[in-house]
Amino acid sequence: MTHGSAGDLPAAARPSGLIVTGPPRAEARHVDALRGYGVATVHEAMGRTRCLGPGLRPVQQDVRIAGTAVTALCWPGDNLMIHAAVEQCAEGDILVVATTSPSTDGMFGELFATALHHRGVRGLVIDAGVRDTAELRAMGFPVWSAAVCAQGTVKATAGSVNVPVVVGGQWIRPGDVILADDDGVMCVPRESAATAVEAAKARTAKEEATRAAFAEGQLGLDRYGLRETLARLGVRYQPYAEYAEGARGGAVS
């Protein structure tokens, strides 16, 4: 289910001038283990769920991070609550920013990244715009955003920090695990982190066996039993000469 505005959110998640302190966080050992598997593997291992969609893209390449979410819900074009969220961030966190309505304004840049880097924050996921991308890459602060835009913002409207937010149709709560790499971003609920690690481990073992089989020449049609699927769907094989003859006959008629 997707949510397009603050009015779609439950009361506790609306921008009501609320800053929640000290939320529970997923265990660091599970967060770090998930980082080793990556977004695609964990997404598949969790039943192809919890992906935040194609709209969030990295401003850098070849970077993978995992951390616990600190959330900020801001008004469009207003980054006041990002300033408030910085104070709530700790080592190992990832800042997740959502807005009450769609926004592409550059709400985050190098100065914010400098402050977060000092606190040990591992990166930013923002469903809005960022700027200073060259500086962000140079300082090695990872960012995934919905837009890149030089448009500046104001600091005038109260929102909320560490409340549930919706990004890409997915609920993100403070303390949930955020995993991001070149393939995109996903969220693992904090209480499911240990289960996700085991599922990703099993998925990786299965993929390693398949990789070895493919390297020896086995076809996916046979390994996955897809010939039976093709037959069930009515797909048939036909020699080219027979196919070409039929095509010519159809053209003549």
Side-chain angles (χ1 to χ4, degrees):
M1 180 168 56
T2 60
H3 300 267
S5 69
D8 297 320
L9 300 173
R14 292 176 187 167
S16 57
L18 178 65
I19 298 175
V20 179
T21 62
R25 288 171 165 84
E27 291 187 37
R29 61 192 178 98
H30 297 146
V31 174
D32 292 340
L34 287 171
R35 180 186 178 276
Y37 294 110
V39 172
T41 295
V42 178
H43 165 69
E44 291 282 354
M46 294 186 68
R48 297 186 299 279
T49 63
R50 305 296 296 178
C51 178
L52 304 191
L56 297 173
R57 301 306 306 154
V59 303
Q60 67 288 308
Q61 296 295 314
D62 301 324
V63 174
R64 178 188 295 166
I65 64 171
T68 44
V70 169
T71 63
L73 185 60
C74 301
W75 288 82
D78 192 315
N79 68 2
L80 173 63
M81 300 314 292
I82 298 180
H83 285 276
V86 170
E87 184 182 25
Q88 302 305 315
C89 289
E91 185 172 355
D93 285 336
I94 293 175
L95 180 58
V96 178
V97 179
T99 55
T100 59
S101 294
S103 176
T104 58
D105 294 342
M107 300 177 66
F108 184 99
E110 177 226 349
L111 296 179
F112 269 138
T114 300
L116 291 176
H117 177 75
H118 174 75
R119 303 181 77 85
V121 174
R122 294 177 176 175
L124 169 79
V125 173
I126 180 169
D127 195 16
V130 297
R131 58 186 187 178
D132 302 334
T133 55
E135 289 82 358
L136 293 172
R137 287 189 292 270
M139 68 186 295
F141 189 83
V143 169
W144 285 255
S145 71
V148 173
C149 183
Q151 175 66 46
T153 57
V154 299
K155 302 164 180 60
T157 310
S160 293
V161 174
N162 276 337
V163 299
V165 297
V166 177
V167 178
Q170 300 294 330
W171 279 111
I172 301 173
R173 302 166 305 164
D176 284 348
V177 183
I178 300 298
L179 182 60
D181 58 24
D182 286 347
D183 291 334
V185 184
M186 70 170 297
C187 174
V188 177
R190 57 180 180 257
E191 65 272 17
S192 301
T195 301
V197 171
E198 292 305 312
K201 181 179 179 180
R203 173 81 186 183
T204 299
K206 181 179 179 181
E207 289 181 344
E208 288 174 352
T210 299
R211 186 178 301 109
F214 285 176
E216 294 175 355
Q218 186 178 17
L219 295 175
L221 286 173
D222 298 313
R223 186 168 185 83
Y224 300 139
L226 297 178
R227 296 191 189 278
E228 292 81 359
T229 302
L230 291 176
R232 176 172 53 82
L233 294 174
V235 178
R236 59 191 178 88
Y237 289 81
Q238 184 179 44
Y240 177 77
E242 182 181 323
Y243 168 77
E245 179 63 27
R248 283 194 296 271
V252 171
S253 63

